[in-house]
Amino acid sequence: MQLTSIARSFITSLITFSIALGATAQIGTGNAIPTRQDSLRGSINNERSWWDVTRYDISVTPNYAGKTISGKVIMKFTVKEIGNMMQIDLQQPMQLDEAFLNGKELKFNREGNVYHININEVLEKGSSQSISLSFSGKPTEAIRPPWDGGWIWRQDSRGNPWMSVACQGLGASVWYPCKDHQSDEPDNGASLAITVPAGLTGVGNGRLLKTDSMPDGSSTWHWEVTNPINNYNIIPYIGKYIHWSEKHQGEKGVLDLDYWVLEENLDSAKKQFSQVHPMMTCFESWFGAYPFYEDGYKLVESPHLGMEHQSAVAYGNKFKNGYLGRDLSGSGWGLKWDFIIIHETGHEWFGNNITTNDIADMWVHESFTNYSETLYTECQFGKEAGTDYLVGIRKNIQNDIPIIGAYGVNREGSGDMYYKGSNMIHNIRQVINDDQKFRSLLRDMNKQFYHQTVSSSVLERYISDYCGRDFSKIFEQYLRTTQVPQLAYKPKGKKMLYRWENAVPGFDMPVKVILDGKETWLSATTSWKKKKGNPATLKADRNFYIAVKKS
């Protein structure tokens, strides 16, 4: 997915790299006291609740020399209730120049990164409306994208201008006016018209509708997505691009695959991007049909590492396997495939298809997408290889703060949403103990919440209901605490006593162990239980992310 915040020592910086791809490098985490700006951005207040976005039509023209942009957004919306003030988000130092509704110019005032617009008329409940928002300015520049966010002004190796945006977490309002909240996606999609200097190409999400050539040599590239889309996923790429396309025979028929890379990298890209076909086959097998056949699938070379921009995935992994040539798991399996291609495409199902209402619940995006790396490894190289990879990434878990963040203030939880969250999902898979049912769960999730936004609590209940087993204590333990559950054991005559410690009250996850040389399941709870066997032979199955403690 794709984006947004973290940094520590060398080992931690590896973690940070991967975290930034999903959504933790531009806004930060922690316990800082929320400000009014945080609440304005992160909550659905009275100026946001009465209207629902249905479409964005965005036009943008960058000035490379001056590092400025200008443009217009036509935002269509449905009136849910009567309201006379509308909050539009546009981060400083960008400016809202004009706002028009039904041919009338509207008055507005600024409060930090928010504009309060006076609607000045009663809009009929249930009616469809369209507001025109003109904007301009010098957007925040991303110096180290995607770990910090904003507009990216770079040059390629031949000195040509190369531009894009990275804004997950920081928000789309860093460059264009919008309702900058994850819960409100434009139901009818979006269009993006990118005006670029002579010799350059503008690439956007979805399909290319047309290209207009101007007398001065500049051109405008018109792109459109027909499906709902997160507003931080609507991204322009501008550079000296070359294009080729392929067809993939997928679950819903023929899927168009398009690739846009810098001219000098064509040969390297064609070799590296051959991984897309087997990846798409594996992911469709595990998660169901790619969610955006209507808009196609693209990889676009970007002036930063990568991001899950819907139907136009940002790629900057330098055509290397692993994570810039490194294996984040240390198992060796992470060097068998390109981390950015696999991880960011996994977000098309988790993050872009299923989206959380509040970024406090971003584990839904990142835990499942991180687990897609394990599933891809398993699909290509076998189950033991997948487990090797999963066990290897545990060394990156910090257990610093809970994975779920604070609601209503645009704040994520711990970066452990990647590696720890992935291992939690694997724990649940072990407890289900039926790979076909687990696969059906993942596929059904993507049907049930197709093109929808959802809360963690709703998804948690859905998983428990689907599996016919209450997983609430597992979710509470791994998402809402920093405690790693300990399987405590001790001898009791010719038997063994065992229980969960360092666990939430009522924690009752069954666990597979080796006891007396044989596989067996322990129905562990937080109370002592007896089991026949020699505790000296006890060894936990490596598929479970737990600690083991002799009492």
Side-chain angles (χ1 to χ4, degrees):
M1 339 129 115
Q2 314 147 103
L3 348 225
T4 35
S5 63
I6 298 188
R8 293 163 192 155
S9 61
F10 175 68
I11 282 231
T12 307
S13 70
L14 292 183
I15 301 171
T16 301
F17 291 153
S18 143
I19 286 174
L21 300 176
T24 354
Q26 294 166 12
I27 57 172
T29 57
N31 299 313
I33 298 173
T35 65
R36 173 165 167 78
Q37 285 293 309
D38 293 329
S39 296
L40 284 171
R41 170 66 190 284
S43 64
I44 298 296
N45 54 38
N46 290 337
E47 294 186 20
R48 283 173 152 184
S49 61
W50 63 267
W51 54 284
D52 176 64
V53 177
T54 57
R55 184 176 172 88
Y56 289 109
D57 292 299
I58 306 165
S59 61
V60 63
T61 302
N63 180 324
Y64 182 79
K67 294 186 176 181
T68 63
I69 64 174
S70 61
K72 179 183 288 188
V73 174
I74 307 296
M75 185 180 73
K76 295 181 174 63
F77 63 95
T78 299
V79 179
K80 298 164 63 178
E81 302 291 343
I82 301 301
N84 57 9
M85 293 295 291
M86 172 182 278
Q87 176 183 319
I88 291 294
D89 304 287
L90 184 61
Q91 296 178 35
Q92 300 181 75
M94 290 298 294
Q95 301 176 106
L96 183 63
D97 299 321
E98 292 180 327
F100 284 86
L101 179 69
N102 296 327
K104 300 176 184 177
E105 186 168 4
L106 304 176
K107 293 182 179 180
F108 48 79
N109 66 284
R110 179 163 216 164
E111 182 184 3
N113 293 326
V114 161
Y115 282 91
H116 303 284
I117 298 181
N118 192 335
I119 296 302
N120 259 344
E121 63 179 288
V122 176
L123 302 179
E124 182 181 353
K125 183 178 178 180
S127 64
S128 296
Q129 303 288 336
S130 178
I131 187 170
S132 173
L133 306 164
S134 298
F135 64 95
S136 63
K138 191 171 186 177
T140 296
E141 181 176 357
I143 305 301
R144 295 182 63 250
W147 301 285
D148 65 347
W151 196 279
I152 304 166
W153 310 93
R154 296 284 172 83
Q155 289 183 347
D156 64 20
S157 63
R158 297 176 177 176
N160 300 301
W162 195 13
M163 294 169 268
S164 191
V165 180
C167 64
Q168 185 183 8
L170 179 60
S173 58
V174 75
W175 71 279
Y176 73 90
C178 60
K179 186 178 186 178
D180 207 350
H181 196 273
Q182 259 182 204
S183 66
D184 196 357
E185 297 181 346
D187 308 277
N188 300 325
S191 69
L192 179 60
I194 313 163
T195 299
V196 302
L200 299 184
T201 298
V203 181
N205 308 80
R207 298 189 183 274
L208 180 63
L209 300 181
K210 64 175 181 175
T211 304
D212 295 328
S213 299
M214 310 300 177
D216 64 356
S218 65
S219 59
T220 301
W221 299 69
H222 298 265
W223 297 83
E224 182 181 42
V225 290
T226 59
N227 290 298
I229 184 170
N230 303 331
N231 56 21
Y232 65 78
N233 272 337
I234 305 171
I235 294 294
Y237 303 87
I238 301 165
K240 192 79 171 177
Y241 284 116
I242 192 167
H243 165 253
W244 84 97
S245 62
E246 298 176 334
K247 304 289 186 183
H248 179 79
Q249 295 297 324
E251 283 202 6
K252 285 180 67 174
V254 177
L255 173 62
D256 292 322
L257 307 177
D258 287 274
Y259 309 107
W260 296 80
V261 299
L262 299 180
E263 290 180 336
E264 60 267 34
N265 295 328
L266 179 61
D267 291 340
S268 297
K270 284 193 171 184
K271 180 180 179 181
Q272 193 72 359
F273 292 0
S274 65
Q275 296 183 35
V276 170
H277 284 286
M279 172 198 65
M280 200 63 71
T281 298
C282 287
F283 281 178
E284 288 203 324
S285 172
W286 276 106
F287 309 139
Y290 173 74
F292 309 107
Y293 269 70
E294 301 83 358
D295 297 321
Y297 170 87
K298 287 197 295 297
L299 284 176
V300 186
E301 188 175 359
S302 58
H304 62 88
L305 185 57
M307 200 73 74
E308 66 264 26
H309 302 144
Q310 184 174 311
S311 73
V313 170
Y315 177 86
N317 203 38
K318 301 186 184 300
F319 311 102
K320 297 179 179 180
N321 278 356
Y323 186 97
L324 291 171
R326 296 187 293 271
D327 178 4
L328 294 178
S329 75
S331 68
W333 294 110
L335 291 176
K336 301 291 186 182
W337 40 267
D338 189 308
F339 179 91
I340 296 301
I341 294 176
I342 303 306
H343 179 90
E344 301 305 344
T345 303
H347 273 303
E348 294 282 36
W349 285 265
F350 300 101
N352 297 347
N353 185 38
I354 304 174
T355 306
T356 58
N357 288 316
D358 192 302
I359 67 170
D361 289 335
M362 287 292 284
W363 77 270
V364 175
H365 297 207
E366 299 304 343
S367 299
F368 282 101
T369 298
N370 187 276
Y371 195 61
S372 75
E373 301 161 23
T374 292
L375 293 176
Y376 179 74
T377 304
E378 178 178 327
C379 177
Q380 291 295 301
F381 307 106
K383 200 166 187 176
E384 286 303 304
T387 303
D388 288 345
Y389 181 81
L390 181 86
V391 172
I393 62 176
R394 287 177 187 164
K395 68 180 183 296
N396 300 325
I397 297 172
Q398 301 294 296
N399 284 313
D400 49 359
I401 60 174
I403 286 175
I404 289 185
Y407 292 101
V409 291
N410 197 49
R411 185 167 299 173
E412 297 174 352
S414 172
D416 281 348
M417 68 179 80
Y418 293 79
Y419 309 110
K420 184 179 177 181
S422 177
N423 273 273
M424 177 193 72
I425 292 168
H426 196 63
N427 281 5
I428 290 173
R429 179 182 178 183
Q430 306 315 302
V431 174
I432 293 172
N433 200 25
D434 180 339
D435 278 355
Q436 187 53 50
K437 187 168 187 178
F438 179 69
R439 184 192 302 267
S440 297
L441 167 66
L442 298 179
R443 292 175 63 91
D444 212 72
M445 278 171 53
N446 276 283
K447 290 180 182 177
Q448 180 70 24
F449 302 106
Y450 185 73
H451 294 176
Q452 293 181 36
T453 62
V454 67
S455 68
S456 177
S457 59
V458 167
L459 191 65
E460 291 169 44
R461 286 194 300 272
Y462 175 81
I463 292 172
S464 291
D465 290 345
Y466 187 91
C467 296
R469 184 183 190 101
D470 185 2
F471 290 113
S472 61
K473 294 300 180 181
I474 296 179
F475 289 123
E476 183 180 354
Q477 179 78 35
Y478 288 95
L479 297 178
R480 296 175 175 88
T481 82
T482 59
Q483 299 169 281
V484 179
Q486 294 178 336
L487 181 64
Y489 67 96
K490 60 185 179 181
K492 180 72 171 179
K494 294 183 178 181
K495 295 185 178 181
M496 176 185 73
L497 296 179
Y498 65 92
R499 72 176 181 186
W500 287 117
E501 295 181 354
N502 201 38
V504 298
F507 187 69
D508 59 352
M509 182 174 73
V511 61
K512 186 191 293 184
V513 300
I514 305 297
L515 187 64
D516 294 333
K518 298 178 181 178
E519 276 190 1
T520 186
W521 283 88
L522 300 180
S523 300
T525 68
T526 50
S527 299
W528 287 110
K529 289 187 173 184
K530 293 180 182 180
K531 178 75 175 178
K532 186 177 180 181
N534 180 4
T537 67
L538 178 71
K539 183 179 180 182
D541 188 301
R542 70 179 186 138
N543 285 285
F544 286 86
Y545 174 54
I546 60 171
V548 179
K549 170 190 172 185
K550 183 178 180 181
S551 294

